[in-house]
Structures are given as structure tokens and as C-alpha cells.
Amino acid sequence: MAELIKEFIKMNQFVKPERLRTVLEYDCIVPDTYPDIMSVLAADGACSVDGEQSENGKIIVNFTTHYKILYLAQGDEPTVKSINTQSSHTVSIDAPGLAESASVFARCCLEHIDFTVVNSRKLSLRSVVKVIADANNTVELGIPVDIHDMDDAQLKKTSYTLSTVSENVDTTLQLVESTELGGGKPAIGCILRSDPSICDITVSKTGGELQIKGNLTVCVLYESDDASRKLEIAESHIPFTHTAACSSDDDTPGLSIRSEIKSFNAEIGEDSDGLPRIIDIKADIKFNITGYSTR
């Protein structure tokens, strides 16, 4: 009996979800230990994704908005104070054709913030957040390649080039590092704000492992620990290396990587002389690595 021989290949079907913009409202209350607001100098922040999943043709995205407020405090000698606060949110993005087992990746961007000083202890924030998601369904196709037990059959073969996702890895780096102020910089009285960013990221595959390299840049605004209480800026560049297990044994010539700072914290530390000249940094950086193979 003639039998059609098939080769089964897993294909990745790209699903294009809708892009979403949402308006968030949040009331920031000045902590009890902080002085009253005289005027707001700056209000901004960033968003981080806490998790994403596919559900009934939609992508559910949980994210946190981190707000950073700089204000001039009331008093005989006005001083600059800072408030860091956050709010959690969940949004649903339509993605027609999305399978329950689809691979999804989401990212958020805080595009704009308006603020209104309600009173000296309360600040009303109104922000616009853009949520973007990528999704891939995995589909297995049986491609006929031959006919068994049919000698007089004629076959017409055609070659196709197929590009499929052969690597899809999510991994998180927990970075703990201490940096010291450069010469000439005064000691730290208090940290007013810290802004991290990632650059120069590369990824390679060696010996069954993915190796990720990059740099974390941290810019810190602080008040000096002396009578002048002068505002100073310190910038640090922290190189990092992170490894993760591969999800396949395929030789993957093309690798792409996406990164996001999920959490970040900068605190004051003491040097060997007991002076507050150290910045202790903790950061969780999430990476999504995708590899494509061609057959």
C-alpha cells in the first residue's frame, strides 16, 4: 500500500496584537516623616512588566509604574526632597488568533506625566502608558517529502526556505554591586534619585549556554554630607556577564535579545574609613533571547 512520507516541522506563527495606550491616575501622599511641599521640581518615572500570559485571544499584562518626585520643601531654608512611590496595574490586549500555549513578551513605556498639587501633603498624578506585546503561536506542519511503496509514482519537488524560532529563553540577572565616589566628590548626605539604564548588550551561544554581556549605567543625584548641602551627580558604569541554559541543541546563527530593568535600588554605604562614599546597587534585569534557524 502506498504511503505518503512526511517530515514534521515546527513553525512559529507571528501574531500581531493591538498596541494599547492607557491613562492612569494616582494620588501620591507625602510620607509623615517628610516636610510639606512648597513646589514640585520634577515628576517622572518608568514602567516594568511583572508578568504576561495568553488567555482567550487576549494578552494579560501585569505591570508596575514607578514614580519619582523631586520637590522643594517648605521651611526657613528650603531644601530639595524626593519621593519614590509605585502603583500596580493590569491591562488586556486583543490578539486575534492567539493560542493558549503561545509565547508572549510585553513591554511598557511611560510616555507622559501631568501633576497637580492638591495640597501641601498630596500630589495628583496623571500618566499615559503605552503597552506593546509580541506573540508567537507554535504550529507543527507535516510536509510530504516522498511516497513509500509506489514505484511508478513521479514526484515533483520544490525547495522552500523556512525560518523558525529555535531558541526562546527568559532569564533574570540579579546584580549586586558597590561603587565608590570619584576623587573630589563630597560624601553623600542623602540620595535624591537614581536613574539606571542598560547599554552595549551582546549575546552569544557557546557550549550549550547563552552568554550575555552588557553595561549598567547608574546616574545618582545626591545631597552632600556637609554644611553646604550642595546637590551633586555621580555616574557609575557597571559591566556584567550572565549565563543561561539554552532551550535547544540547534546551532542558532541569529540571536536577538530584549532587556528590561524589573527592579532597582541604590542605597548609601560606607567606605573603609567609615565615610558615606559608597553607593550600594541592587538590580534585577530580565532578558528575553530569541534565536532563529533556517532550513
Side-chain angles (χ1 to χ4, degrees):
M1 180 181 293
E3 180 183 357
L4 192 62
I5 299 174
K6 295 183 178 182
E7 182 177 348
F8 289 89
I9 298 178
K10 286 187 176 181
M11 300 283 294
N12 293 94
Q13 181 186 55
F14 178 70
V15 178
K16 188 176 182 180
E18 296 180 358
R19 293 193 174 190
L20 176 70
R21 276 185 174 85
T22 183
V23 177
L24 307 175
E25 295 186 353
Y26 178 72
D27 289 335
C28 174
I29 307 299
V30 178
D32 294 339
T33 55
Y34 280 53
D36 289 352
I37 297 174
M38 184 166 70
S39 64
V40 175
L41 302 176
D44 59 9
C47 291
S48 62
V49 175
D50 302 319
E52 60 270 91
Q53 62 183 12
S54 58
E55 184 178 298
N56 298 325
K58 297 179 182 292
I59 298 176
I60 310 300
V61 182
N62 300 310
F63 66 95
T64 299
T65 305
H66 306 270
Y67 297 101
K68 299 177 181 180
I69 313 297
L70 278 180
Y71 73 94
L72 199 62
Q74 294 182 13
D76 296 335
E77 296 184 5
T79 57
V80 177
K81 296 295 181 181
S82 67
I83 301 173
N84 294 328
T85 184
Q86 63 185 40
S87 60
S88 298
H89 308 275
T90 299
V91 295
S92 175
I93 303 175
D94 289 331
L98 186 71
E100 292 292 327
S101 58
S103 173
V104 296
F105 181 86
R107 55 196 181 276
C108 298
C109 176
L110 184 58
E111 294 187 320
H112 180 73
I113 293 183
D114 284 330
F115 64 86
T116 302
V117 179
V118 179
N119 54 53
S120 61
R121 306 297 298 174
K122 184 177 179 180
L123 191 66
S124 178
L125 302 172
R126 184 181 177 89
S127 55
V128 178
V129 175
K130 179 171 68 175
V131 184
I132 303 172
D134 297 325
N136 286 288
N137 292 332
T138 300
V139 181
E140 189 172 55
L141 297 179
I143 300 177
V145 294
D146 205 347
I147 298 178
H148 178 67
D149 203 16
M150 194 172 184
D151 297 335
D152 57 346
Q154 294 185 359
L155 300 177
K156 181 180 179 181
K157 294 186 177 181
T158 305
S159 296
Y160 294 92
T161 300
L162 304 176
S163 180
T164 62
V165 176
S166 59
E167 198 80 55
N168 191 7
V169 174
D170 289 319
T171 182
T172 300
L173 165 65
Q174 294 181 329
L175 182 65
V176 179
E177 192 72 37
S178 295
T179 63
E180 188 170 0
L181 296 178
K185 288 283 187 183
I188 305 170
C190 69
I191 294 176
L192 296 174
R193 66 175 292 162
S194 54
D195 296 295
S197 62
I198 308 172
C199 62
D200 303 327
I201 298 180
T202 61
V203 58
S204 60
K205 187 174 182 178
T206 307
E209 284 187 335
L210 296 168
Q211 187 174 74
I212 304 162
K213 293 183 178 180
N215 285 281
L216 176 68
T217 299
V218 180
C219 186
V220 173
L221 174 67
Y222 71 92
E223 187 180 80
S224 63
D225 187 26
D226 53 30
S228 69
R229 303 173 76 173
K230 185 180 177 181
L231 298 185
E232 295 281 348
I233 293 177
E235 189 171 83
S236 304
H237 301 277
I238 304 170
F240 60 80
T241 299
H242 179 60
T243 57
C246 297
S247 62
S248 72
D249 296 328
D250 295 344
D251 292 331
T252 307
L255 292 171
S256 64
I257 184 168
R258 291 174 288 195
S259 62
E260 179 188 29
I261 299 175
K262 291 185 66 65
S263 65
F264 178 83
N265 186 47
E267 296 181 350
I268 303 172
E270 295 182 348
D271 61 10
S272 57
D273 297 325
L275 298 176
R277 299 185 56 81
I278 300 293
I279 302 174
D280 293 326
I281 294 169
K282 293 182 180 180
D284 288 344
I285 307 173
K286 179 184 176 182
F287 303 99
N288 173 255
I289 301 102
T290 305
Y292 296 88
S293 60
T294 302
R295 298 186 62 181

